[in-house]
Amino acid sequence: MTRVHRGLVWLAGDPGRIDLIARDPQIAPLVVARPAPGVLGFLPGSSTRLQARLLKLGAAPRRSEAKEC
């Protein structure tokens, strides 16, 4: 069944790079969804920890906001 996840923070990019990020021991426990090879989903409360870890890894993401329908 298809699901719509509302309120998650999504990280998208090159599937190979996203796979490496998903395997990081500090990031792996924060992942709550992986609907496609290049996409990871996180709870909003973990976004600060996620961003801090990505900065340490040198993989700071570009932030974009989705529009409500």
Side-chain angles (χ1 to χ4, degrees):
M1 174 183 250
T2 303
R3 295 177 188 240
V4 175
H5 297 277
R6 301 195 74 185
L8 293 181
V9 174
W10 297 101
L11 181 65
D14 173 66
R17 188 166 178 112
I18 293 294
D19 189 48
L20 290 174
I21 290 171
R23 291 182 191 186
D24 182 82
Q26 292 182 19
I27 293 177
L30 304 176
V31 176
V32 295
R34 192 167 188 180
V39 181
L40 297 174
F42 302 89
L43 294 174
S46 64
S47 65
T48 303
R49 288 177 52 199
L50 173 65
Q51 288 178 2
R53 182 62 180 160
L54 289 173
L55 283 172
K56 285 185 180 180
L57 294 175
R62 185 184 83 233
R63 186 178 183 101
S64 64
E65 298 292 330
K67 294 182 180 180
E68 288 290 325
C69 296

